[in-house]
Structures are given as structure tokens and as C-alpha cells.
Amino acid sequence: MTPRADPLTVEVVDLIGTVVARYHEEYEHAASQHSLTGAQARVLGLLSVEPLPMRKIAQRLKCEPSNITGIVDRLESRGLVERRPDPADRRVKLAAPTAEGRRTAERLRGSLHFAREPLSHLTVTERTLLKELLQRMLGTAPE
Amino acid sequence: MTPRADPLTVEVVDLIGTVVARYHEEYEHAASQHSLTGAQARVLGLLSVEPLPMRKIAQRLKCEPSNITGIVDRLESRGLVERRPDPADRRVKLAAPTAEGRRTAERLRGSLHFAREPLSHLTVTERTLLKELLQRMLGTAPE
DNA sequence: TATTGTTATACTCTATAACTATA
DNA sequence: TATAGTTATAGAGTATAACAATA
């Protein structure tokens, strides 16, 4: 069932590797334009969706909770994020973006060219096809 | 021409983000199984194709040459890589994998499940289609 | 007792700048 | 003088272990 290292599979894997590399370059570049590191940009992006306890951020980033302390420290010292108490559990600190943090996150999303430029080479039909193939590949297809 | 943030494009970009995340997890996991960091695994992978001058490695990894010194140091101290003089230019040092380095690189490639598992959900026809869409997306389509 | 966040520590990766040995 | 590689330095991300406050 598992495809061997046939030429087609190798070719597709190489292409995915290229996509991964390009995606990362663009992401890091967009982050640095706002004087953010990749990790800081990822955390800010997460929090701009919804405030999260420190623990949850670590789970989303798949890293140790102790690392989040420093990343949020740096975002907080720049006024992009703040720590709030959780009324329900006084052990928990909720990290939430400030107004400026939300603006930065918004501009960050806008400068992610990857969202537009490479996909502009595809028609709507092709994008739909790509979406379905990726869903099936990731095992997240609706059906 | 440039697609706006229409729902379809956003969905595809999210899927690509998921692919990127999964790819990285798998890569880091495979590297750590051989007690290598991601950067060390990437350099070893490059050198297993062909020995390279330090400078070239930096260009491939898109980082500063000074960083390569340490990465190759660590690979060399573990007997996976060696530095050779370049007969043509005595300033240049060629980094080349040892026999054990080549074996490690080979096993590393084999443990990259990403090359097989996710793509196994697709038929040959679908993989061909995916290949063509990615090529067009990246602007590397043969035609 | 268990959990949340933090601190302390050590290692790796990263960029910058200055150095050396070649060219 | 220019280039290849290195060293020195500083900042950031990472994991591990131990800690205080709270549950």
C-alpha cells in the first residue's frame, strides 16, 4: 500500500520540500519586516485569533511551556501582548494581543505573499483540485 | 490577477500551512532519532549528494558562512563529516561525509515517513495531478 | 498531590564584525 | 585588494530540572 521510492513519489516529495522551503522564507521575511522572529510571529498570530493560556500556546507550537515565557516576555516588552489573569483559575495566565498587537498581526497576514502570489498561477478550478488533493493527502478530507 | 483573500485561497493556504508543519515535525523527529539537529541533518543530507566548500553550504542553507563552521564542527566531532583541502584553492575546505556519515544520511532518508505515508492516500493519477499543480504553482512547470 | 507558570541552566542556531591565510 | 574560513560575541529558541503559587 505504501508507495515505494518510485520516481513519481520522489518528484512530488521534492516539490513539497520546495513549497516548504519557500513558505518558510516568506514567513521569516514577513516576520522580520515587523522586527519579529518566526516564533514571535507565530505566537502573535495564534493570540490574534483568541487569547490563550501559556500552556496552550506551548501545545500549539509543540514546544516546552518554559520556552513560551521568554517569547511572550519579548512580545510583552514591545507592547504587542499582555498577560491577564484567568478569573476561573488563578494559576493560569492568559496571553492576549494589545490593540497594537492586533494591528501588527493583521499587517503580518497581509504581507504573507505566499497567500497570493504562488496561487495566482492557478485557476479557480485548479485551486479547488489542489485543495481536494491536499485534504485527501492529509487525511482531512470531509468524506 | 492576484487572488484576494477569497475563502478558497485561504483554505488552500491553510492546508499548505498544515503540510509545512507536518513536514517539519517529521523532519525534526527523524533527525533527532539519529541524535542530530535539523540543521545538522540538512547539512549531512547536502554533503551526501556531493562534498561542498563551506561557503556553498551556507548558500544552500541561506545562512551566514560563520554558522557553518559550528555545524560542521559538531558533525566532524561525531565522525560523520570530514574537512578536506581543495587542491585547486588552498583557502577552500571541502566538507565531505565519512562512510558512517553516508550510512547515517541513508538511514535518515529512509526514516522520512513523509516521503511515503501521506502520499499513500493518493492514487498514481492523483499524485501525477498533484505534481503538475505544484509545478504550476511554483512556476517550475516544464512548459 | 497535581498543575500552571516561572526560573536556572546548557546547548544549538543565528547574524555581525574582526581576524588569518590564501588568492 | 579581495575571498574562504574562522573566531568572538550577543540574542533567540530549545529541552531539562527545580521552584512558587494555586488547585
Side-chain angles (χ1 to χ4, degrees), chain B residues 19-137:
Chain B
V19 170
V20 168
R22 176 121 25 130
Y23 187 98
H24 260 86
E25 282 168 45
E26 298 236 0
Y27 197 92
E28 295 291 322
H29 182 251
S32 74
Q33 280 184 319
H34 297 277
S35 303
L36 293 170
T37 65
Q40 288 164 11
R42 274 189 292 279
V43 169
L44 186 58
L46 276 181
L47 300 183
S48 73
V49 177
E50 60 171 344
L52 291 172
M54 305 296 281
R55 212 88 186 172
K56 287 280 180 195
I57 302 174
Q59 287 167 4
R60 297 286 182 87
L61 261 66
K62 295 187 205 300
C63 72
E64 294 301 313
S66 59
N67 301 325
I68 305 303
T69 299
I71 296 172
V72 169
D73 279 352
R74 280 158 223 133
L75 288 170
E76 194 167 30
S77 73
R78 288 186 46 193
L80 301 175
V81 157
E82 64 182 9
R83 276 179 247 234
R84 300 179 192 156
D86 180 341
D89 186 336
R90 288 193 303 171
R91 292 174 303 181
V92 173
K93 289 177 190 168
L94 291 169
T98 62
E100 191 191 338
R102 272 190 295 275
R103 280 194 297 273
T104 300
E106 187 55 42
R107 274 179 292 151
L108 197 58
R109 268 190 291 276
S111 58
L112 272 175
H113 292 197
F114 197 89
R116 302 193 299 269
E117 197 260 306
L119 289 175
S120 72
H121 300 149
L122 302 184
T123 66
V124 169
T125 306
E126 289 172 326
R127 266 175 273 164
T128 304
L129 206 50
L130 179 57
K131 183 192 79 174
E132 288 164 359
L133 287 173
L134 291 176
Q135 283 174 336
R136 277 180 44 71
M137 186 178 109

Side-chain angles (χ1 to χ4, degrees), chain A:
Chain A
M1 244 7 85
T2 294
R4 296 288 157 207
D6 64 284
L8 173 59
T9 296
V10 168
E11 212 168 346
V12 175
V13 170
D14 280 354
L15 281 167
I16 292 174
T18 303
V19 170
V20 169
R22 180 135 3 145
Y23 186 98
H24 259 86
E25 281 167 45
E26 300 235 1
Y27 197 92
E28 296 289 323
H29 181 251
S32 73
Q33 280 185 320
H34 298 275
S35 303
L36 293 170
T37 66
Q40 289 165 10
R42 274 188 291 280
V43 169
L44 186 58
L46 277 180
L47 300 183
S48 73
V49 177
E50 59 172 342
L52 291 172
M54 306 295 281
R55 211 89 186 172
K56 287 281 179 193
I57 302 174
Q59 287 167 4
R60 298 285 182 86
L61 262 66
K62 295 187 204 298
C63 72
E64 293 300 314
S66 59
N67 301 325
I68 305 302
T69 300
I71 296 172
V72 169
D73 280 353
R74 278 159 224 132
L75 288 170
E76 195 167 29
S77 72
R78 289 186 46 192
L80 300 175
V81 157
E82 63 181 11
R83 278 179 246 234
R84 300 180 191 155
D86 180 342
D89 187 337
R90 288 193 303 170
R91 291 173 303 179
V92 173
K93 289 177 192 169
L94 291 169
T98 61
E100 191 192 337
R102 271 190 295 274
R103 281 194 298 272
T104 301
E106 188 54 43
R107 275 179 292 150
L108 198 57
R109 269 190 292 276
S111 59
L112 272 175
H113 293 197
F114 198 88
R116 302 191 302 267
E117 197 259 306
L119 288 175
S120 71
H121 300 149
L122 303 183
T123 65
V124 169
T125 306
E126 289 172 327
R127 265 176 273 166
T128 304
L129 206 50
L130 179 57
K131 183 192 80 174
E132 288 165 359
L133 287 173
L134 291 176
Q135 282 174 336
R136 278 180 44 70
M137 186 179 112
L138 291 165
T140 56
E143 191 272 341

